[in-house]
């Protein structure tokens, strides 16, 4: 009797597995809608024109009605043994080309691993336009892991998060407007290192690639803000050196902005 029950259970699991493997990719769109509703509608996520299957598919991703890009995914079935629903993914549009893996585990924890790709000049310019800054050059994300991410109740900021990785900016001419005056400067290629101290929040250090000199630092806060610190060395590079006798690596100015 037990042997027959085991065989029957195995056959049932096999049939369910085959059905899921061939399940249409449009089920992902339904799942995203349900996830949005369960999150209180903090972010509206949609998948248009789904193709392929639930396990290996593609489509056009929209976030709050705005196109994110063409996305494709491949489910990593081996992660199920670690009690994670995981998939490798790629997303592309005119402004960036990114890939990595995403996993959803116990306690609604999100893990984004091995994020790599290029964020192009057009995206950087749009992101910095509100600050009247116009950069030249692309940002290359060499590797970024964002793990142990748990969102707050509103779903718009982490309750906790761990991040580690590195990125590079090609450097070049930058135009900006300050106090009603237009200025143009040439900045060196830069390297960014992202890390998270034990029990703390992600921090950022930006240095010149050629010399290793610290130019900026940054940090996220539990209250939904980001702070950016500027060194005396960076003010010197911009042609507006900070007065005083501090060394070039000293932070002489910090600004903090609420993001949520």
């Amino acid at each position: 009797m037990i042997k027959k029950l085991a065989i029957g259970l195995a056959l049932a699991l096999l049939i369910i597995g085959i059905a899921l493997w061939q399940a249409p990719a449009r089920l992902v769109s339904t799942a995203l809608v349900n996830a949005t509703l369960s999150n209180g509608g903090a972010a509206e996520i949609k998948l248009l024109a789904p193709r392929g299957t639930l396990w290996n598919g593609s489509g056009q991703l929209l976030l709050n009605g705005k196109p994110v890009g063409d996305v494709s995914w491949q489910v990593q079935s081996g992660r199920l043994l670690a009690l994670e629903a995981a998939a490798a993914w790629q997303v592309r549009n005119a402004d960036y080309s990114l890939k990595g893996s995403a996993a959803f585990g116990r306690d609604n924890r999100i893990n984004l691993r091995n994020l790599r790709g290029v964020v192009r000049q057009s995206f950087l310019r749009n992101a910095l336009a509100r600050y009247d800054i116009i950069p030249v050059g692309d940002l290359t994300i060499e590797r970024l892991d964002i793990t142990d991410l748990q969102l707050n109740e509103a779903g718009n900021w982490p309750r906790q998060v761990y991040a580690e990785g590195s990125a590079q900016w090609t450097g070049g001419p930058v135009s900006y407007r300050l106090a009603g005056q237009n200025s143009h400067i040439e900045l060196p290629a830069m390297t960014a290192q992202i890390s998270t101290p034990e029990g703390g929040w992600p921090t950022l250090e930006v240095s010149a690639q050629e010399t290793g000199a610290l130019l900026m630092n940054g940090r996220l806060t539990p209250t939904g803000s980001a702070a950016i610190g500027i060194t005396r060395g960076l003010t010197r590079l911009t042609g507006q050196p900070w007065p005083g006798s501090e060394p070039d690596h000293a932070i002489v100015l910090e600004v903090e902005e609420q993001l949520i």
Side-chain angles (χ1 to χ4, degrees):
M1 180 65 181
I2 295 176
K3 183 178 179 180
K4 289 182 179 179
L5 181 61
I7 293 173
L9 180 59
L11 286 173
L13 290 174
L14 179 59
I15 292 170
I16 293 171
I18 292 173
L20 285 175
W21 189 266
Q22 297 298 330
R26 65 175 179 271
L27 291 183
V28 175
S29 182
T30 302
L32 289 174
V33 171
N34 291 338
T36 299
L37 293 175
S38 65
N39 195 36
E44 183 185 19
I45 307 171
K46 290 185 178 181
L47 183 70
L48 302 182
R51 299 178 297 276
T53 69
L54 184 67
W55 295 84
N56 190 342
S58 61
Q60 298 171 4
L61 191 64
L62 269 68
L63 178 63
N64 293 331
K66 297 181 179 180
V68 173
D70 295 328
V71 63
S72 59
W73 68 88
Q74 304 83 38
V75 171
Q76 298 173 324
S77 55
R79 296 299 302 171
L80 294 175
L81 298 177
L83 300 181
E84 282 188 335
W89 56 267
Q90 304 83 35
V91 61
R92 297 180 180 88
N93 70 14
D95 289 335
Y96 47 78
S97 177
L98 302 170
K99 64 180 179 180
S101 67
F104 301 88
R106 290 167 292 183
D107 302 323
N108 294 320
R109 298 190 182 193
I110 302 169
N111 295 308
L112 304 175
R113 299 186 178 96
N114 203 27
L115 174 62
R116 301 171 185 266
V118 176
V119 179
R120 298 185 179 88
Q121 172 182 293
S122 55
F123 183 91
L124 297 177
R125 287 188 168 187
N126 287 334
L128 295 174
R130 59 184 294 192
Y131 305 105
D132 294 322
I133 299 174
I134 306 174
V136 170
D138 297 336
L139 176 71
T140 299
I141 301 174
E142 297 179 328
R143 179 190 58 82
L144 178 60
D145 293 331
I146 303 173
T147 57
D148 204 25
L149 170 61
Q150 287 184 297
L151 296 177
N152 59 15
E153 292 184 1
N156 59 1
W157 193 254
R159 178 185 296 132
Q160 66 178 42
V161 63
Y162 179 89
E164 182 178 3
S166 61
Q168 293 188 358
W169 176 61
T170 54
V174 176
S175 301
Y176 65 95
R177 186 173 180 84
L178 183 64
Q181 298 292 323
N182 293 324
S183 300
H184 307 276
I185 57 175
E186 186 84 19
L187 291 179
M190 300 181 186
T191 296
Q193 296 290 337
I194 301 164
S195 60
T196 306
E198 185 176 356
W201 278 68
T203 62
L204 170 74
E205 287 193 348
V206 179
S207 56
Q209 283 187 27
E210 186 174 346
T211 64
L214 179 66
L215 301 177
M216 291 185 292
N217 67 13
R219 55 187 172 85
L220 296 179
T221 73
T223 57
S225 65
I228 297 293
I230 298 173
T231 66
R232 188 170 186 270
L234 181 58
T235 67
R236 183 170 50 79
L237 285 176
T238 64
Q240 300 180 15
W242 193 266
S245 58
E246 294 92 345
D248 274 359
H249 64 266
I251 300 296
V252 295
L253 179 66
E254 185 178 72
V255 294
E256 185 171 342
E257 181 173 351
Q258 197 70 29
L259 302 179
I260 59 171

